[in-house]
Amino acid sequence: MTTLNPEVVRKVVAEVVREVAARSGTPTTGDGIFPDMDSAIVAADTAWRAYLDCSMKDRARFVRVIRDVALQPEHLEYMARCAVEETGMGNVADKIAKNRAAAELTPGTEDLVTEAWSGDDGLTTIEISPFGVIGAITPTTNPTETIINNAIGMLAAGNAVVFSPHPRATKLSHWLIRTLNRALVAAGAPPNLIVTVSEPSIENTNAMMQHKLVRLLVATGGPGIVKAVLSSGKKAIGAGAGNPPALVDASANIEKAAKDIVDGASFDNNLPCTAEKEVIAVDSITDLLKFEMLRNGAYELRDPAQVARLVDLVVDGRHAVTDWVGKDASVILAALGIEPPPGVRLIIAEVPFDHPFVRVELMMPVLGIVRAKDLDAAMDMAVIAEHGNRHTAIMHSSDVNALTRMAKRIQTTIFVKNGPSYAGIGIGGEGYCTFTIAGPTGEGLTSARSFARRRRCVLVGGLNVR
Ligand code: NAD
């Protein structure tokens, strides 16, 4: 009699279960994690169809569930610690603040406002309706913040979402997707409204971009992935790189500008795409600005040889060296053989305008400072340094005309006046929060309505009561 190899039997059974599950749309795990992209997307599509039968009140309740899961104190702490551990980037305290902002300040169903026309010919409405299954690609720099933010907006708009997280944030992304799924199902939502694959990879992301059941792609990341989604042939929202300049004019409150810039540029070790990446200061106030920055936790590299060594360490051509992205300022100083002073948050260096600390999106607490002869020269430089990303710029000035002129010239999606950059995403500034800022495709600070279609219903000859 032939004996069967148990390992072969296990593999065949697993394959058959996967195949049947993929075809029938039945989840293999129930917690949103699938062995391959096709089964994840099929399950999300099944979930979306069931979600169509849920009421707006149900949707609002599910959004509340996502907020509550994220805001549990032990979850906030776990997400921040795990993100720092797994990605090797950022700091725990600021990640807690970012996750809290995503959970509390991302708009929900209230973002979907119906437009209506009524008259002799009847009543016409435009309602904000779901796309169906959305493919969302998330970055290492804000792994859980983006999932929380996108999940709230996308589910509020009635969609299901397949996440393609950065491979270097797999463990944490799985934990969050699993935890959200369990809580949503417990609250009565269809299973698998939020799904992903067990092994996120570029191949899996490509499979997602090509899948016929994915109706909208949302990419939050660098230029490579934004270009990829925009070339996919599908409707796509691209939230790409920034290189935000902070311009400081002679009319500014320099003490406050210095503190705001250090606070913004050191926030989560400079990981946010919105964070100050270089400073352009008018000559007459540059020394005072630097002096005040040093009083607020900045350390200045004055020796050109040290600056050159830091460039060698953290810059590779036109890119930052990944190993140094999001590291603490103290760790970077120690690598240069400098004893980090207590409480150091940011490294600054006065550099020429064409220096990598100005031109490269470093995403670490290292900030180039450029001296401009006057305000016009400073504006010219800020516009060039932003690279036409149309992302974020910051300006410190008490001259309303200068602020207006700069905002018109630089054309960024976010323009923060007299505050730290994070005020632009609702942290200490008015307005809602997002972690997907779509400059290239123009949705701007995305929210539920960005992840939706506008559909017109026309009732002829009735329901006009005017
Ligand atoms: P990244 O571009 O390396 O990765 C982002 C995501 O895209 C990851 O999931 C990655 O796996 C995937 N990816 C990248 N290239 C791909 C390709 N060719 N094919 C398929 N998948 C691909 O970015 P990161 O280092 O994780 O994040 C930092 C970058 O993202 C910075 O440039 C930052 O400015 C930008 N960012 C922008 C926003 C925004 O809202 N505009 C928000 C956060 C981050």
Side-chain angles (χ1 to χ4, degrees), residues 137-140 142 166-167 220-222 225 239-241 273 361 391 435-437:
I137 299 135
T138 55
T140 36
N142 311 320
H166 197 290
T220 310
I225 188 60
C273 51
E361 189 197 23
H391 197 296
F435 281 89
T436 296
I437 298 148

Side-chain angles (χ1 to χ4, degrees), residues 91-431:
N91 68 67
V92 172
D94 294 339
K95 285 199 183 292
I96 289 177
K98 285 165 61 182
N99 281 300
R100 187 188 293 285
E104 285 177 344
L105 301 176
T106 300
T109 50
E110 73 284 2
D111 198 47
L112 311 165
V113 180
T114 300
E115 288 170 53
W117 293 262
S118 66
D120 297 342
D121 288 334
L123 173 70
T124 293
T125 56
I126 290 199
E127 290 184 298
I128 313 288
S129 300
F131 268 93
V133 177
I134 299 179
I137 299 135
T138 55
T140 36
T141 46
N142 311 320
T144 48
E145 300 87 327
T146 312
I147 291 179
I148 294 165
N149 170 250
N150 283 184
I152 290 175
M154 291 170 184
L155 264 60
N159 305 284
V161 50
V162 186
F163 279 109
S164 197
H166 197 290
R168 269 188 289 115
T170 301
K171 182 181 154 209
L172 179 55
S173 304
H174 279 173
W175 175 84
L176 181 55
I177 289 167
R178 194 177 293 127
T179 309
L180 289 174
N181 257 293
R182 285 182 186 163
L184 286 166
V185 170
N192 302 312
L193 282 175
I194 303 173
V195 300
T196 190
V197 287
S198 46
E199 283 181 37
S201 63
I202 289 197
E203 294 69 39
N204 271 324
T205 305
N206 287 336
M208 181 177 90
M209 291 193 285
Q210 284 154 19
H211 202 286
K212 65 177 189 313
L213 292 177
V214 172
R215 300 295 194 136
L216 168 69
L217 291 167
V218 179
T220 310
I225 188 60
V226 170
K227 188 167 175 212
V229 295
L230 294 182
S231 318
S232 68
K234 290 187 194 292
K235 159 86 180 167
I237 295 177
N243 194 39
L247 194 160
V248 188
D249 169 26
S251 71
N253 174 343
I254 304 301
E255 231 173 85
K256 180 174 182 304
K259 179 176 184 314
D260 286 348
I261 292 170
V262 176
D263 286 350
S266 63
F267 187 55
D268 204 18
N269 295 347
N270 201 262
L271 287 180
C273 51
T274 46
E276 293 82 350
K277 297 284 187 293
E278 62 277 338
V279 171
I280 319 280
V282 171
D283 180 32
S284 58
I285 50 85
T286 306
D287 290 331
L288 178 59
L289 181 75
K290 286 199 297 179
F291 174 78
E292 292 293 340
M293 289 175 83
L294 299 183
R295 289 188 348 131
N296 280 283
Y299 179 95
E300 185 178 9
L301 286 183
R302 294 202 176 95
D303 178 357
Q306 273 177 342
V307 175
R309 277 180 46 225
L310 184 53
V311 171
D312 284 347
L313 191 67
V314 303
V315 181
D316 178 13
R318 285 163 47 201
H319 303 281
V321 175
T322 307
D323 284 351
W324 293 101
V325 169
K327 288 287 181 285
D328 291 347
S330 58
V331 172
I332 299 172
L333 284 175
L336 291 176
I338 297 168
E339 174 77 27
V344 67
R345 293 192 284 160
L346 181 71
I347 300 166
I348 59 173
E350 194 172 329
V351 293
F353 179 54
D354 59 359
H355 194 272
F357 290 176
V358 175
R359 302 303 179 97
V360 177
E361 189 197 23
L362 288 181
M363 293 184 292
M364 62 186 80
V366 171
L367 199 63
I369 299 186
V370 182
R371 211 177 266 267
K373 70 176 179 351
D374 55 29
L375 180 59
D376 281 312
M379 285 192 193
D380 289 344
M381 286 191 216
V383 169
I384 295 169
E386 210 272 326
H387 299 308
N389 292 325
R390 297 186 158 194
H391 197 296
T392 297
I394 302 97
M395 183 163 168
H396 297 270
S397 172
S398 59
D399 177 345
V400 172
N401 292 332
L403 288 164
T404 308
R405 199 146 55 92
M406 182 62 195
K408 283 194 175 182
R409 284 200 56 191
I410 200 153
Q411 287 289 320
T412 48
T413 304
I414 298 178
F415 187 62
V416 177
K417 303 163 190 163
N418 300 322
S421 50
Y422 48 72
I425 53 166
I427 304 179
E430 290 298 328

